[in-house]
Amino acid sequence: MSEIGPALLVVDDNEDNRFTLTERLKREGYGNVACASNGREALELLATRPFDLVLLDITMPEMDGYQVLHEVKADTTLRNIPIVMISAVDEIDSVARCIGLGAEDYLAKPFNAVLLRARLAACLEKKKLRDQEAVYTQQIENEKRRADELLYAMLPPGAVRELKATNAVRPRRYEEVAVLFCDIVGFTAYCDENPPEKVVEHLQALNEEYERIVRQHEMEKIKTIGDAFMATAGLFTPVPDPVFASLQCGLDMVTASRRTEPSWEVRVGVQFGPVVAGIIGHRQYLFDLWGDTVNMASRIAAHANPGTVATSGATWHRIRDRGRGRSLGFVDIKGKGRIELIECQGLKEQGPS
């Protein structure tokens, strides 16, 4: 309802009736009143401006009150406007018919000031409450949408779907997952030499590019840890070849890092195997992965040369016929002993299966 009061529409083909009712409404404090001399004019007004209440005469030429009422209630944008029928005392059966068609109430001619005041106040209060309910419903929908956006920002899409369906993400073991770690070379020194606003701005731009690349390869971002970025292939979303997708993703991340200011070099490590995944905590919770595959991917990234993607010999073996690699020799990996590392120098496009 507007600041100048509720908007009322009086519809009556009789000019004297319109004048009489309008004057009574003004005496009751309703100054925002418009008039229509027939049903078609009323519908035109309703289509061009909002009204909070319609006082509608039943008996009119060309288009009577029944027809107007039917048109209004059939229109999804108008059907919630309360309509009070105006009738003669001997038209009570017609009034009952209108109430059945969706009219809110009725007023008999000649108008009784007490009934006019009471019925208008009741109808307008109902309209106000319905309007408030619509506003609250929209606010709830907006908050729900915002909550969904936050969930998708915090968790992989597969975890969000499970959380919404079951109100939990059950921890489970996934047997064949490729885990990718990517971290920035010399990031600590860069932080020491630049203002924090610049550091965060550049890191945000790089992470947005990483997220785009991850989606392009049908992978799932898991989290960022400082300057490190973690993603998976084959966790929630099936991927034809998780290792190939992850290595190609890593190569694209290396390229993106060089063309994104300040032209960072990154190290990427990829490992394939089983992982355990789930959510930790009840407040500020985090979806995370655990297991030997995760640890290996992180440690391989730490041993990779700047600007390269590396993986273990066992993982490379899965795509050896579709890639060009260079052995980095055997290195000591904590908890695993000496492991051969392979630097991925290129991949061949996968042909049709």
Side-chain angles (χ1 to χ4, degrees), residues 182-185 187 190 198-214 221 224 226-229 252-267:
C182 174
D183 59 35
I184 299 170
V185 178
F187 184 74
Y190 178 81
K198 183 178 180 181
V199 172
V200 172
E201 178 186 351
H202 289 165
L203 190 59
Q204 174 69 17
L206 184 61
N207 272 276
E208 288 176 0
E209 184 66 7
Y210 285 171
E211 289 171 357
R212 182 193 65 79
I213 293 169
V214 165
K221 174 187 173 182
T224 57
D227 64 306
F229 186 100
D252 291 346
M253 293 168 86
V254 169
T255 301
S257 301
R258 288 170 174 166
R259 68 166 180 256
T260 302
E261 192 179 355
S263 189
W264 274 310
E265 289 286 12
V266 296
R267 298 184 179 94

Side-chain angles (χ1 to χ4, degrees), residues 16-155:
D16 290 338
N17 288 343
R18 293 199 303 274
F19 177 80
T20 300
L21 182 53
T22 301
E23 289 301 308
R24 283 186 178 273
L25 292 172
K26 288 179 180 178
R27 286 199 294 272
E28 294 295 332
Y30 300 107
N32 187 10
V33 181
C35 293
S37 59
N38 59 64
R40 296 199 183 280
E41 184 181 347
L43 292 175
E44 290 173 2
L45 280 171
L46 287 166
T48 56
R49 52 179 286 198
F51 285 95
D52 299 300
L53 180 69
V54 177
L55 296 108
L56 177 63
D57 188 29
I58 293 178
T59 307
M60 293 184 294
E62 185 179 353
M63 191 176 193
D64 61 25
Y66 300 126
Q67 294 170 298
V68 175
L69 179 62
H70 174 77
E71 290 294 323
V72 171
K73 294 304 176 182
D75 190 324
T76 57
T77 61
L78 302 177
R79 62 174 51 167
N80 290 326
I81 301 174
I83 296 179
V84 175
M85 306 307 297
I86 300 172
S87 68
V89 175
D90 60 355
E91 292 180 315
I92 194 66
D93 289 341
S94 295
V95 168
R97 176 184 170 190
C98 291
I99 297 295
L101 290 173
E104 194 77 27
D105 209 332
Y106 77 96
L107 284 169
K109 294 182 285 189
F111 304 112
N112 179 289
V114 176
L115 283 177
L116 175 67
R117 185 182 308 120
R119 286 177 172 165
L120 291 188
C123 289
L124 289 170
E125 181 64 19
K126 289 181 183 177
K127 172 65 162 52
K128 179 181 177 181
L129 292 174
R130 280 197 293 265
D131 288 348
Q132 288 177 342
E133 181 182 15
V135 170
Y136 295 151
T137 300
Q138 186 60 52
Q139 288 175 344
I140 290 170
E141 287 298 317
N142 291 341
E143 289 300 318
K144 181 177 179 295
R145 185 161 51 250
R146 182 170 177 270
D148 284 348
E149 290 171 356
L150 287 172
L151 279 176
Y152 279 105
M154 295 167 57
L155 305 175

